[in-house]
Amino acid sequence: MTLSFYWYPKCGTCRNAKKWLDENQIDYKAIHIVEETPSESQILSLMETSDLPAKKFFNTSGKKYRELHLKEKINDLSPQEMAEILASDGMLIKRPILTDGKKVTAGFKEEVYESAWK
């Protein structure tokens, strides 16, 4: 099955993940996370499928995250509210996100990719 790879081409972490996928000859469909931001329902599905807390889907180092003062608000938000905020701007989403529909990884750590996707 082809994986869905949500990424931002100017992001170094995303480029490293893409390089790893290419080097390991893993099939994926690259989806530009800003031009094709996942919908609220897609984000909720990713959250439910992953083993990660919903707040791990936020790009906490991003400018937009700071502008919206989400650090102060995030612990009071429901997963539904988080998904709504994330769907409003792809730059808020932790990237890259890789999924096969059964599992999800957010961010890139080579050891995580090794165990999840090889």
Side-chain angles (χ1 to χ4, degrees):
M1 176 177 177
T2 302
L3 303 174
S4 294
F5 178 64
Y6 293 91
W7 77 313
Y8 183 64
K10 293 181 182 175
C11 165
T13 304
C14 293
R15 288 193 306 268
N16 289 339
K18 184 179 184 306
K19 181 180 176 204
W20 186 91
L21 292 168
D22 292 341
E23 285 173 353
N24 287 279
Q25 300 175 339
I26 294 171
D27 259 353
Y28 62 90
K29 177 184 176 207
I31 303 162
H32 193 297
I33 205 161
V34 175
E35 293 174 359
E36 295 180 62
T37 304
S39 68
E40 186 177 329
S41 63
Q42 286 174 303
I43 292 168
L44 271 173
S45 176
L46 290 168
M47 288 175 174
E48 290 165 5
T49 304
S50 82
D51 294 331
L52 303 169
K55 66 183 186 179
K56 291 288 186 187
F57 283 85
F58 281 87
N59 174 14
T60 57
S61 60
K63 180 178 160 190
K64 189 81 172 184
Y65 184 86
R66 291 189 301 275
E67 284 173 2
L68 296 174
H69 305 286
L70 288 169
K71 185 178 181 181
E72 294 83 30
K73 301 173 187 172
I74 199 160
N75 290 325
D76 298 326
L77 298 173
S78 70
Q80 181 78 38
E81 291 168 320
M82 289 184 198
E84 186 179 331
I85 292 167
L86 290 168
S88 74
D89 188 336
M91 293 302 280
L92 286 169
I93 302 172
K94 173 104 174 153
R95 56 191 183 260
I97 291 178
L98 191 58
T99 184
D100 62 0
K102 295 181 185 88
K103 59 186 166 198
V104 176
T105 55
F108 173 68
K109 286 194 167 83
E110 192 168 333
E111 60 276 9
V112 172
Y113 269 42
E114 287 280 340
S115 65
W117 305 116
K118 257 190 147 174

